Amino acid sequence: MSTPPFDSPGDPLLPRLRAGEADAWRLAFTRLWPRAHRVAHAVLGDAHLAEDAAAEVLRDLTAHPERVRTWPELEAYVLVCVRRRAISMQRDARAAKRGGGDLVPLDENIDATTPPDEVALAALDLAALLPTLDPLRRRIVEEHFLQGRTSDDIGARLDLNPATVRSHLARALRQLQERVNPSRDETAS
């Protein structure tokens, strides 16, 4: 069964969507869902995550009915938003795999209340500290944190086992933390 698109500004469904009528939105969702889900699935590769991305965008769309002018415009808007949401979900998942979540600064004196100028100075210190790492560890740190690559990607690029990459990364971070926050034994002497 083919459903006609709403491509004319005089289509009776468009004013109903703008008015926020639940039946009109239900019909629009029925027509938008297959393509929205397909776009999200193409990015995420998982039907359940794709469903979450598409549902979230379609749900949020009802909060902005003024964005509905023509059906092709609405459809394009939804598909772009779904793709962006799926990419965002994919990035979040990759960050979680890399140990994302709560970020722990190298300098234990930096927290959420630290003024931005002090954080910037700490970043400059970190930029000065990176060259103190051996070249392999420095490259791994830069590719992982600055370029967002996974240990699998870095391992393939450097011909290393991903576990070895993670080990180098952990050791490099430990070295940087020790340089930023010397142990109490060293500062006491």
Side-chain angles (χ1 to χ4, degrees), residues 83-105:
R83 186 175 191 309
R84 288 179 179 170
R85 179 65 190 126
I87 290 169
S88 178
M89 290 171 71
Q90 188 179 50
R91 285 181 181 152
D92 291 347
R94 286 182 179 163
K97 279 185 178 178
R98 289 194 309 260
D102 295 335
L103 298 178
V104 179

Side-chain angles (χ1 to χ4, degrees), residues 113-129:
T113 62
T114 305
D117 56 338
E118 289 182 31
V119 174
L121 288 174
L124 289 175
D125 291 344
L126 181 59
L129 287 174

